[in-house]
Amino acid sequence: MKKKVFGLMAAGMMLAAPAMAQETPQAGEPAYNVDYQPSSEVGPGMYGKMSSPVQSKFNLSIGGFVKLDYAHNSVNFGKAGSLSPGSGAIAKKGSTHDKQEQSIITARQSRIWLKVGGPGFLGAKTGALIEVDFYGDASAANESPQVRMRHAYATIDWPKTQLLFGQTWDIFGPMAANTQDFRQGAAYGTPNNPRVPQVRITQRVDLDATNSLKLVLGVQDPNQNDNNNSMLTTGFSNNVGSAVNVAGQVMWVSKALGVAPGFWGLPMTSLTAGFFGLYGNQEATNLPNGADDKDIDSWGYGFYTFVPLLKSKDGKSRAMTMALEAQAYMAANMMFNNGTSLNFVYDATDEPHAAKAFGLGAQLIFYPTQDLGISAGYLRRNAYNTGDYSQATNYQRYNTNVFANISYDLNAALRIAAEYEYLYTRYGNHTAGASPTYNSSAKSGSANVFRLALLYFF
């Protein structure tokens, strides 16, 4: 019996030998650790020397970064406290949350992306990108992250024209605050979130050898990833039917001042200045006191600029470069991207109309050396025509964000960064409430945020 068992085992191993042999890398392929002690799958270290080529029917590349954050907040932001509040609301002075300090360590801001270069089409290049992070459920514990789609789009690129479809940055509000805080000032005057399903066309018009126009026109999802499916304000909840949002940009781009690094020191950007805007329409139903259904417009317009104050010496080096980036906008019924703090408000007759706000932001990005980056900025979102908010209790009259950070690249992969943010919210129609954030009659709330980050780019 034993001989039969050993015989079967030997036969099985011989049958498996060709398959095992196929796993041995061929000439020119990455080499596994072929020492069998420790085993090749785990030594040295759990993932030591495990590598194999990435293959696809088209050219495929993979990348991303690991990011570990330590954030200490002088007030309690809740489970998603590694980011500043998405609403912009800071706990009132003297409230329960204002009395609670908070420290969080998280790796949820880590990201991974896949980029594809596909076949040509009618003289154009085609490509696609998918990127995810781990904030699928921001309310979950940091030890239980969930994958969340950030970008997922395809492009068709001719020499001066690009067609993009999928999900990516909102066309409205092109400025992103250069913070280590991944909220990037969205609720404080730079309403660049969320990423939005859309189709857009971008056209470059050359004026001369130095100057050109960039024209962008797109159609975006009106619900902005579910944030706008129900329009909410104090005391009322309403069903909503939405038309698509149309958004666009008209930007002048010039090579006259050279280029300087932008967000996180990654893109090199030329002098840019121009306007952006958005328009949509929504039907509010089930209004209070039997009021008739009403169409409420969503709209916004603004100005954006990026100015290389100290240009790169060769278009690649960051050493001794500096840039100024600024933006200002006016918006109505744009809570979906944090352009306003509310969607709409009611007048004395319970007639709804769009909540309006304006925002502005400015920041300096300075690289004294190739590896050392310093940024500082001021951001603000302000309710407009505050008399319209007479029925909105504890509405956010204005929000400010002052930030400064410093980063240093140890090598091509490793980066360390430190940041300070001062966040402030001034409330209107302020009253005490049941919420731990509002259970105080104070007029305002503020927070000091200290952040340390370790990054590994791959």
Side-chain angles (χ1 to χ4, degrees), residues 332-346:
N333 188 24
M334 289 181 61
M335 183 180 176
F336 53 77
N337 64 359
N338 300 298
T340 60
S341 64
L342 293 174
N343 280 315
F344 65 97
V345 291
Y346 290 88

Side-chain angles (χ1 to χ4, degrees), residues 277-417:
L278 178 147
Y279 176 78
N281 182 271
Q282 298 177 316
E283 182 183 11
T285 64
N286 297 335
L287 298 175
N289 299 328
D292 294 335
D293 297 353
K294 183 177 181 179
D295 288 342
I296 299 178
D297 292 337
S298 302
W299 54 263
Y301 58 86
F303 174 79
Y304 168 83
T305 188
F306 182 96
V307 183
L309 301 177
L310 297 174
K311 68 179 181 179
S312 171
K313 61 183 180 181
D314 57 6
K316 298 178 181 179
S317 173
R318 296 186 302 220
M320 287 307 298
T321 59
M322 178 183 289
L324 168 67
E325 191 171 18
Q327 176 177 283
Y329 73 85
M330 183 76 184
N333 188 24
M334 289 181 61
M335 183 180 176
F336 53 77
N337 64 359
N338 300 298
T340 60
S341 64
L342 293 174
N343 280 315
F344 65 97
V345 291
Y346 290 88
D347 60 22
T349 63
D350 289 331
E351 186 74 12
H353 55 278
K356 299 178 183 179
F358 64 88
L360 55 90
Q363 61 186 3
L364 285 172
I365 304 172
F366 176 48
Y367 273 83
T369 69
Q370 171 67 20
D371 298 320
L372 179 63
I374 303 171
S375 297
Y378 174 82
L379 314 170
R380 182 181 177 112
R381 182 183 67 186
N382 210 108
Y384 180 76
N385 194 2
T386 56
D388 292 344
Y389 290 74
S390 59
Q391 296 192 35
T393 303
N394 291 322
Y395 74 91
Q396 297 171 45
R397 188 165 184 171
Y398 64 87
N399 317 74
T400 59
N401 181 338
V402 180
F403 71 89
N405 58 54
I406 184 170
S407 65
Y408 188 79
D409 293 338
L410 300 174
N411 60 22
L414 287 165
R415 173 177 291 186
I416 58 175

Side-chain angles (χ1 to χ4, degrees), residues 88-165:
I90 306 299
K92 284 185 172 185
K93 288 181 171 61
S95 66
T96 301
H97 285 168
D98 177 65
K99 298 175 183 178
Q100 300 171 340
E101 294 189 10
Q102 181 184 41
S103 290
I104 290 181
I105 298 178
T106 181
R108 297 175 73 166
Q109 294 178 18
S110 302
R111 295 194 178 185
I112 187 170
W113 54 256
L114 297 172
K115 188 175 182 180
V116 176
F121 173 74
L122 299 178
K125 297 179 180 179
T126 66
L129 181 139
I130 293 179
E131 182 186 69
V132 299
D133 67 8
F134 300 91
Y135 266 102
D137 182 2
S139 66
N142 284 304
E143 293 78 10
S144 305
Q146 296 181 18
V147 173
R148 174 179 65 166
M149 183 176 75
R150 302 300 285 164
H151 298 278
Y153 61 82
T155 57
I156 305 174
D157 288 276
W158 288 271
K160 297 183 180 181
T161 307
Q162 181 192 73
L163 175 65
L164 178 150
F165 60 90

Side-chain angles (χ1 to χ4, degrees), residues 226-243:
D226 198 46
N227 288 339
N228 214 15
N229 284 340
S230 61
M231 302 177 81
L232 300 176
T233 189
T234 305
F236 302 113
S237 175
N238 307 278
N239 298 324
V240 178
S242 302

